[in-house]
Amino acid sequence: MTQGWLEKVTGSFDDKKRWRQYKARKEQLPGNYRTTIDALERYFTYAGAIVKGDVLMQMLEDLADLVEGAAADGTPVRDIVGEDPVEFAETFISNYSDGQWINKERKRLTDTINQAAAGDA
Amino acid sequence: MGKQMTEMLKGTLEGIVLATLAARPAYGYEITARLREQGFSDIVEGTVYALLVRIEQRGLVDVAKVPSEKGPPRKVYSLNASGSAYLDEFWSTWSFLAERIEQLHHNNHTQEKGEWP
């Protein structure tokens, strides 16, 4: 989709639509699964530091797929996230590092060391 | 499952899941259930799912959305050609590691008994 000047001001309409759909999916979940997805979403938005809207939406949609499926199968919340929810959350986030702000710095570090190793810096 | 087991499994779970899919295609919950049956009793669905997301992003599996009687459509994962190649590499790496580690274990053992200089 070509971004018009308006979307440059307001952010992508497409991402906003996906966000509304995601919120609607959450509303359908039974209480304890909704609490779980809300808690994970909160952690993801703090710890993920994802700056790309489409990557963030992909992450949340994948999360919704997991929690909806688990709710349908009757998988207990503890069996979704395990004894250490933080560890699970970090594993999940690592799949979306393309959209993380730190990724720019990782690239910068790699490039600089490559130059230094090649002897031209 | 102890902390050490969890740490060791981290590096091998990808291969284990691909090996499970080599037997036949499956959706997330099935894979978790199969692994639990095989004795990986503390494996949780979220960890397996996060791993499936990763191997999908890397193009090692094909994904089909299959309607389900209850709840949303299920994503069924099947191993593709890249996945098979990756799994072959996993097995040779595993054999190498297992052999080296077993040798270390054996050497230490005989050393304790004084059979080794």
Side-chain angles (χ1 to χ4, degrees), chain A residues 28-89:
Chain A
Q28 302 297 316
L29 289 167
N32 52 340
Y33 293 94
R34 202 161 59 223
T35 306
T36 303
I37 198 171
D38 279 340
L40 287 165
E41 178 194 309
R42 183 190 157 93
Y43 187 86
F44 285 179
T45 45
Y46 272 93
I50 290 177
V51 286
K52 290 185 184 169
D54 56 335
V55 176
L56 177 65
M57 278 322 304
Q58 187 60 55
M59 175 162 77
L60 294 178
E61 284 163 0
D62 286 342
L63 174 68
D65 284 347
L66 167 66
V67 179
E68 275 176 357
D73 287 324
T75 305
V77 164
R78 180 60 70 196
D79 289 349
I80 307 174
V81 298
E83 288 304 316
D84 187 351
V86 175
E87 184 167 337
F88 159 70

Side-chain angles (χ1 to χ4, degrees), chain A residues 103-119:
Chain A
N103 212 37
K104 273 189 193 163
E105 289 303 317
R106 288 184 183 133
K107 189 176 179 311
R108 189 186 186 131
L109 174 63
T110 309
D111 291 349
T112 308
I113 299 297
N114 282 348
Q115 279 176 17

Side-chain angles (χ1 to χ4, degrees), chain A residues 25 58 61-63 65-66 68-70 72-75 78-84 87-88 91-92 94-96, chain B residues 3 6-7 10 27 29 32 36 42-47 49-51 53-54 56-57 65 68 70-72 74-75:
Chain A
R25 289 173 74 181
Q58 187 60 55
E61 284 163 0
D62 286 342
L63 174 68
D65 284 347
L66 167 66
E68 275 176 357
D73 287 324
T75 305
R78 180 60 70 196
D79 289 349
I80 307 174
V81 298
E83 288 304 316
D84 187 351
E87 184 167 337
F88 159 70
T91 310
F92 205 89
S94 69
N95 287 329
Y96 307 91
Chain B
K3 185 81 188 148
T6 311
E7 288 298 317
K10 248 186 226 169
Y27 70 99
Y29 177 75
T32 315
R36 287 180 155 219
D42 284 356
I43 290 231
V44 296
E45 195 175 351
T47 308
Y49 186 77
L51 200 141
V53 167
R54 186 160 81 231
E56 182 187 348
Q57 286 172 352
K65 280 207 169 183
S68 108
K70 47 170 190 174
R74 282 168 173 159
K75 284 167 96 177

Side-chain angles (χ1 to χ4, degrees), chain B residues 4-104:
Chain B
Q4 197 176 44
M5 179 68 112
T6 311
E7 288 298 317
M8 281 195 189
L9 264 182
K10 248 186 226 169
T12 49
L13 195 57
E14 200 169 65
I16 293 170
V17 167
L18 289 176
T20 311
L21 289 177
R24 63 175 190 280
Y27 70 99
Y29 177 75
E30 271 182 300
I31 299 169
T32 315
R34 268 192 233 167
L35 293 177
R36 287 180 155 219
E37 270 169 34
Q38 284 162 24
F40 299 107
S41 51
D42 284 356
I43 290 231
V44 296
E45 195 175 351
T47 308
V48 171
Y49 186 77
L51 200 141
L52 287 167
V53 167
R54 186 160 81 231
I55 60 182
E56 182 187 348
Q57 286 172 352
R58 285 163 55 198
L60 303 177
V61 286
D62 292 332
V63 182
K65 280 207 169 183
V66 177
S68 108
E69 293 155 30
K70 47 170 190 174
R74 282 168 173 159
K75 284 167 96 177
V76 174
Y77 299 85
S78 56
L79 201 65
N80 61 24
S82 319
S84 297
Y86 187 90
L87 184 58
D88 286 345
E89 198 188 323
F90 171 79
W91 284 130
S92 55
T93 309
W94 175 255
S95 305
F96 173 82
L97 262 181
E99 203 180 296
R100 298 294 119 181
I101 293 172
E102 190 49 49
Q103 204 166 24
L104 272 174

